[in-house]
Amino acid sequence: MSDLGVPLASIRGAFQGVIPTPVATASLDGVPHSTYLSIIWFVDNERIALSNQFLGTTAANLRSNPVVAMRVIDASNMDEYELEASFLRSETSGETFDAVRAQIEAVAAQSGMEDTFRLRGIEVLRVNKCEAVRELDDSRVAPSSPPDLLASLDVFVRRLTSCRDLAETTRVALQALEDLFEIRHSMLLIADSDTDQMYVLDTNGYPGGGVGAEVPIGEGVIGVAARRRRQVRVANVQRDRTLAAATQRADTDGTQAIELPGLQAAQSMAATPLVLRNRLIGVLYVESERSGRFDTDTGRLIEIIAGHLALSIALFNDSDIELRDSTASPARDAPRPGSVTVAFHDRDGSILVDGRYVIRGVPGRILYSMLDEYLRSGRTSFTNREIRLDRGIGLPAGNDNLEARLLTLRRRLAESDNPFGLDHTGRGKLELTVDAEIDLVRHENTPPDAR
Amino acid sequence: MRLTISAPAESSTLANLESNGLIAVTLSRPTTYETIQVKGRVDAIEDPSPHDQDRTHRHLDRFVAEVALLGVEEGAESLFLGGLRVVSFEVKSIFDQTPGALAGTPL
């Protein structure tokens, strides 16, 4: 047990990185040195860590004169605490190091400064003193009763486990984040292991939808969470949101990629990987216009939710479960007269209808294969089994996320203006609807913009 | 250089300045992270004059307005108003401390 005046675990709000922390050290002969660090890392009730990207004099001082003082501030109430600590050791691997590295990479990726902000190590400190700088109001000392997160989580899991198919699962999950936890902006992305891309399967709280938008694994907050398989939480985002710009770099080949949805004034965000049996399923991303919105407890809550989501998604990818389609497209309008040109680019699987980008990757190849078969034989019914066996589509053996890919394709077709539709008609069965004459053109290995 | 600091009578900052006489000050602009560090030897520690108080509060107003741009919308001023003292010191060295490759370079 710690005998600190104020237990570190009780001031977790001061370790969220909202307000920078002044850190003071001194050389062996007493020359003082101070620096501002953007975040102090909570390790446990007795230890904290400093991330070492640029620490020069501070790191040298810690080694020769291992005492350090700092003031941390809880931005939620501006309570300030003075900490005195002693240097324990440097770490360049391990649980805390990995967590710090993922966080720093994500922040650096937002500003395109991955090389500048490389983590050299963490300096682990033992806290010897932790005191409030000012007398705290009584009203603050007696905390208002926290919301009953466990009860809400119970409701969340019940809602999730009553879903009958993948489409309902993703919709119910994101809606429940808003209903139960007031997380109003969220999106679920699915990993495509073949292309090192993720694509948006569902969103909540964004007017534009955004299904099918792509995020490269490794780029931005979402991409770093995926690559490191660790939750990344950012407590205070500068106003200029470079995340969106960075993640839209996927669109390098001239196709009109779908824009990734996002809050223009997001102040805090959390990206949580969905991992099952060490395999990346996708990422659950949430954001808020309030800084410090996703604290440690909320972060854990989202990790539990992400675990349940990962299980649900994997479950519905097995076709031996009866799937009933809860998002079947409404009855389509009368057939649209006229004809469209559908261009398929073999290089990246992209589909353009009369020059307008629809989708690419595996969903694009699936759509091309269906349209090709439709033009050859007039067939409109397809099965998951034949899609899995189609070498032109090239699904990986085993965990292929086919249900998630098909759901993305169905939602994207429903959202975009084109004469095709795809409906789920039963266990592993799909029905293609086509409301126009089609001129299907396949481009072999040519960039889509080089027509 | 004269500097107003928040250092109540019982604070360790004041005790350190009085016992050791050496000072290191980090000055950082919240919106850009441009940062310098000034080091020197303390000549005097005094109570602020009305003129010092006036300048300090005007500076604080600008600071509060700047951090509001970063989402810290209330309470920032409370961090700096306990036990104001004016420290006069002789500057011995100035360093660039902006995060990045040049951090630590003497100016």
Side-chain angles (χ1 to χ4, degrees):
Chain A
M1 277 294 290
S2 165
D3 55 0
L4 297 174
V6 178
L8 296 184
S10 72
I11 57 165
R12 297 288 288 263
F15 304 109
Q16 308 287 356
V18 178
I19 296 179
T21 300
V23 174
T25 56
S27 65
L28 194 55
D29 54 358
V31 177
H33 181 81
S34 69
T35 190
Y36 264 109
L37 295 183
S38 55
I39 184 167
I40 305 296
W41 304 87
F42 174 90
V43 178
D44 59 31
N45 231 347
E46 295 174 9
R47 292 177 299 161
I48 54 177
L50 314 180
S51 56
N52 184 354
Q53 298 107 288
F54 313 114
L55 295 179
T57 308
T58 297
N61 282 352
L62 285 175
R63 281 153 182 78
S64 63
N65 180 14
V67 292
V68 53
M70 67 191 75
R71 284 191 173 186
V72 294
I73 298 166
D74 182 344
S76 68
N77 50 23
M78 286 294 167
D79 285 343
E80 192 177 13
Y81 302 89
E82 188 165 300
L83 271 55
E84 287 181 11
S86 49
F87 175 61
L88 282 180
R89 61 178 174 273
S90 281
E91 291 181 2
T92 53
S93 64
E95 185 73 10
T96 306
F97 177 84
D98 289 346
V100 171
R101 181 176 59 183
Q103 204 82 8
I104 285 173
E105 282 183 356
V107 173
Q110 289 181 82
S111 49
M113 297 182 75
E114 291 91 332
D115 293 332
T116 310
F117 287 88
R118 203 163 290 287
L119 182 65
R120 292 190 278 195
I122 57 171
E123 313 290 353
V124 181
L125 312 173
R126 177 185 297 285
V127 178
N128 305 312
K129 189 182 106 176
C130 175
E131 290 177 354
V133 171
R134 283 174 297 279
E135 291 298 312
L136 303 180
D137 296 349
D138 287 347
S139 61
R140 286 191 193 151
V141 174
S144 55
S145 65
D148 189 350
L149 292 181
L150 209 53
S152 297
L153 186 61
D154 181 33
V155 175
F156 184 95
V157 172
R158 282 166 197 270
R159 286 190 191 175
L160 200 66
T161 50
S162 66
C163 292
R164 294 158 303 177
D165 61 26
L166 184 61
E168 188 181 6
T169 299
T170 64
R171 203 185 53 232
V172 163
L174 299 188
Q175 186 62 50
L177 283 177
E178 176 165 359
D179 296 346
L180 300 171
F181 305 109
E182 296 184 355
I183 296 172
R184 302 183 198 287
H185 304 279
S186 60
M187 62 179 108
L188 180 64
L189 299 97
I190 295 295
D192 187 341
S193 55
D194 304 337
T195 60
D196 279 343
Q197 296 273 337
M198 288 177 289
Y199 52 89
V200 174
L201 180 58
D202 206 352
T203 68
N204 183 52
Y206 305 104
V211 170
E214 293 172 35
V215 175
I217 289 176
E219 283 193 16
V221 169
I222 296 169
V224 169
R227 184 174 68 194
R228 293 294 178 193
R229 310 221 174 148
R230 286 197 164 267
Q231 184 179 62
V232 171
R233 287 182 285 125
V234 181
N236 63 338
V237 181
Q238 304 287 328
R239 292 248 154 175
D240 53 340
R241 179 189 168 86
T242 47
L243 166 72
T247 48
Q248 281 162 28
R249 282 207 333 239
D251 182 25
T252 51
D253 53 11
T255 51
Q256 289 176 280
I258 306 157
E259 191 177 346
L260 185 72
L263 290 173
Q264 284 308 307
Q267 288 295 320
S268 53
M269 51 188 63
T272 310
L274 275 56
V275 178
L276 200 62
R277 293 196 197 105
N278 213 24
R279 187 172 68 91
L280 179 71
I281 307 275
V283 168
L284 174 62
Y285 174 79
V286 297
E287 60 183 357
S288 167
E289 289 174 343
R290 188 151 64 80
S291 62
R293 170 68 180 82
F294 305 109
D295 59 13
T296 313
D297 286 344
T298 311
R300 283 191 183 143
L301 178 83
I302 298 172
E303 298 235 41
I304 296 170
I305 285 169
H308 280 278
L309 265 175
L311 271 171
S312 295
I313 291 169
L315 194 64
F316 285 120
N317 201 46
D318 285 340
S319 53
D320 56 353
I321 292 169
E322 179 63 36
L323 298 167
R324 277 196 286 145
D325 190 359
S326 60
T327 58
S329 306
R332 300 184 74 85
D333 297 338
R336 287 174 239 184
S339 68
V340 293
T341 299
V342 178
F344 171 71
H345 299 274
D346 192 42
R347 196 181 60 122
D348 62 355
S350 60
I351 297 264
L352 286 83
V353 176
D354 283 345
R356 291 187 314 276
Y357 176 80
V358 176
I359 199 154
R360 69 175 156 195
V362 169
R365 293 185 197 283
I366 293 172
L367 180 59
Y368 170 75
S369 176
M370 287 178 171
L371 290 173
D372 189 46
E373 178 64 25
Y374 166 76
L375 289 175
R376 282 176 209 268
S377 68
R379 184 154 70 91
T380 57
S381 296
F382 298 88
T383 65
N384 285 9
R385 180 178 156 75
E386 71 181 298
I387 292 168
R388 287 196 160 105
L389 293 174
D390 187 333
R391 290 190 168 200
I393 293 169
L395 279 166
N399 299 310
D400 55 20
N401 275 347
L402 178 58
E403 284 299 333
R405 296 176 206 260
L406 287 172
L407 181 56
T408 306
L409 178 58
R410 283 159 52 205
R411 284 184 169 153
R412 180 64 190 148
L413 289 178
E415 273 184 10
S416 58
D417 180 28
N418 66 68
F420 317 121
L422 194 60
D423 294 331
H424 217 156
T425 51
R427 182 195 300 182
K429 289 180 184 165
L430 297 152
E431 183 72 20
L432 177 73
T433 51
V434 180
D435 292 345
E437 293 291 318
I438 295 173
D439 180 18
L440 184 62
V441 184
R442 179 187 177 113
H443 299 263
E444 308 270 351
N445 298 319
T446 49
D449 54 350
R451 287 187 295 156
Chain B
M1 185 170 184
R2 294 181 82 244
L3 197 68
T4 309
I5 62 169
S6 169
E10 70 281 10
S11 72
S12 49
T13 302
L14 207 56
N16 286 340
L17 288 175
E18 283 168 349
S19 69
N20 168 302
L22 298 174
I23 185 168
V25 184
T26 293
L27 304 158
S28 185
R29 178 147 207 169
T31 46
T32 61
Y33 288 150
E34 282 174 285
T35 307
I36 60 165
Q37 173 151 207
V38 181
K39 295 193 179 189
R41 181 171 292 281
V42 175
D43 291 326
I45 303 171
E46 309 156 295
D47 289 333
S49 68
H51 178 66
D52 292 329
Q53 299 236 19
D54 183 48
R55 289 191 62 182
T56 300
H57 280 91
R58 274 188 283 136
H59 177 83
L60 195 53
D61 288 343
R62 292 197 300 274
F63 177 82
V64 168
E66 181 154 341
V67 296
L69 295 175
L70 302 172
V72 180
E73 277 157 14
E74 52 187 44
E77 68 285 348
S78 72
L79 299 174
F80 301 96
L81 289 179
L84 293 184
R85 297 298 169 95
V86 174
V87 179
S88 305
F89 64 98
E90 181 191 351
V91 176
K92 299 278 194 188
S93 50
I94 304 177
F95 300 91
D96 184 352
Q97 210 176 10
T98 306
L102 293 177
T105 310
L107 292 174

